[in-house]
């Protein structure tokens, strides 16, 4: 991975101090999404990583909502399908659902019961890993469907929050890391 390409992506992540509350430094990917060259570079880097790491992937599973921004173009590049993991109540038909704890309360995620077949190989994608609650819950949903989770993949990892520890033995990759 070239440092120049990585810097092009990193330079488009904007820090917002004291959001959503005092003392938090929010990492905003909006400038990255607005810059077509930087966004294409992001997808290039993620595609290069996945092609080098896995000979066969069946689906990208993207987490509501920013995983929906990264997952579909990445899936298109790889010539595979995209599966949404949504907030509760947003998907039609039979679903699997899970409740999980957040720093500030509880949340629920769902996936359609027929989203993947047993044994299909899935990479789970989101923009950011903080405490790991949402990513861990999504992995549990995919396990219930008997998918083989190859990796959890994010653009940004907030290392100090140790979210990757919640993923246990599931391989994890982050393009950018911040303390």
């Amino acid at each position: 991975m070239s440092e120049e390409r990585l810097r092009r992506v990193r330079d488009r992540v904007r820090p917002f101090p004291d959001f959503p509350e005092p003392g938090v430094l929010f990492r905003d990917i909006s400038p990255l999404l607005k810059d077509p060259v930087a966004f294409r570079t992001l997808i290039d880097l993620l595609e290069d990583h996945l092609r080098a790491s896995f000979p066969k992937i069946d689906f990208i599973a993207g987490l509501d909502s920013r995983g929906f921004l990264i997952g579909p173009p990445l899936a298109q590049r790889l010539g595979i399908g995209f599966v949404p993991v949504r907030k509760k109540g947003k998907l039609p038909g039979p679903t699997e659902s899970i409740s999980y704890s957040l720093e500030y309360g509880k949340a629920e995620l769902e996936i359609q019961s027929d989203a993947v077949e047993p044994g299909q190989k899935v990479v789970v994608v989101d923009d950011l890993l903080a405490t790991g609650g949402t990513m861990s819950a999504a992995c549990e949903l995919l396990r219930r469907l008997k998918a083989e989770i190859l990796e959890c993949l994010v653009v940004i990892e907030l290392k100090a929050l140790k979210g990757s520890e919640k993923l246990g033995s599931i391989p994890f990759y982050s393009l950018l890391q911040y303390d």
Side-chain angles (χ1 to χ4, degrees):
M1 170 184 330
S2 87
E3 276 304 310
E4 180 185 330
R5 293 191 313 158
L6 191 58
R7 187 176 61 253
R8 185 176 297 138
V9 172
R10 185 184 299 277
D11 286 351
R12 295 298 181 270
V13 175
R14 176 174 51 182
F16 263 105
D18 299 319
F19 182 82
E21 57 188 48
V24 173
L25 181 60
F26 187 84
R27 303 291 177 169
D28 180 25
I29 66 166
S30 296
L32 176 60
L33 298 172
K34 286 172 39 178
D35 181 333
V37 173
F39 187 70
R40 183 173 36 257
T41 301
L42 167 68
I43 300 303
D44 289 345
L45 289 167
L46 297 177
E47 177 189 9
D48 291 351
H49 164 73
L50 289 177
R51 286 191 187 280
S53 301
F54 306 106
K56 181 176 180 352
I57 303 169
D58 294 305
F59 292 106
I60 297 291
L63 305 190
D64 198 343
S65 69
R66 287 170 295 214
F68 295 0
L69 303 173
I70 298 153
L74 186 55
Q76 282 290 299
R77 290 274 194 92
L78 296 169
I80 60 176
F82 175 80
V83 172
V85 179
R86 303 275 333 247
K87 294 174 180 132
K88 186 164 178 64
K90 302 291 184 184
L91 292 170
T95 60
E96 287 289 323
S97 178
I98 188 168
S99 287
Y100 63 101
S101 295
L102 296 168
E103 313 82 273
Y104 47 85
K106 286 206 170 274
E108 285 186 80
L109 284 179
E110 287 184 326
I111 191 169
Q112 288 175 314
S113 299
D114 63 354
V116 299
E117 298 295 321
Q120 286 188 308
K121 299 173 184 322
V122 179
V123 172
V124 185
V125 174
D126 204 1
D127 68 323
L128 181 131
L129 184 79
T131 62
T134 305
M135 185 71 76
S136 178
C139 289
E140 177 56 31
L141 286 175
L142 287 160
R143 273 192 218 97
R144 289 182 191 174
L145 298 180
K146 299 183 177 20
E148 180 184 341
I149 303 167
L150 298 174
E151 182 174 79
C152 293
L153 172 69
V154 298
V155 178
I156 297 169
E157 176 186 9
L158 303 179
K159 300 223 19 121
L161 298 177
K162 301 181 180 178
S164 63
E165 292 176 9
K166 275 200 179 148
L167 303 176
S169 63
I170 298 171
F172 173 74
Y173 179 80
S174 57
L175 192 63
L176 304 173
Q177 300 82 32
Y178 297 94
D179 289 323

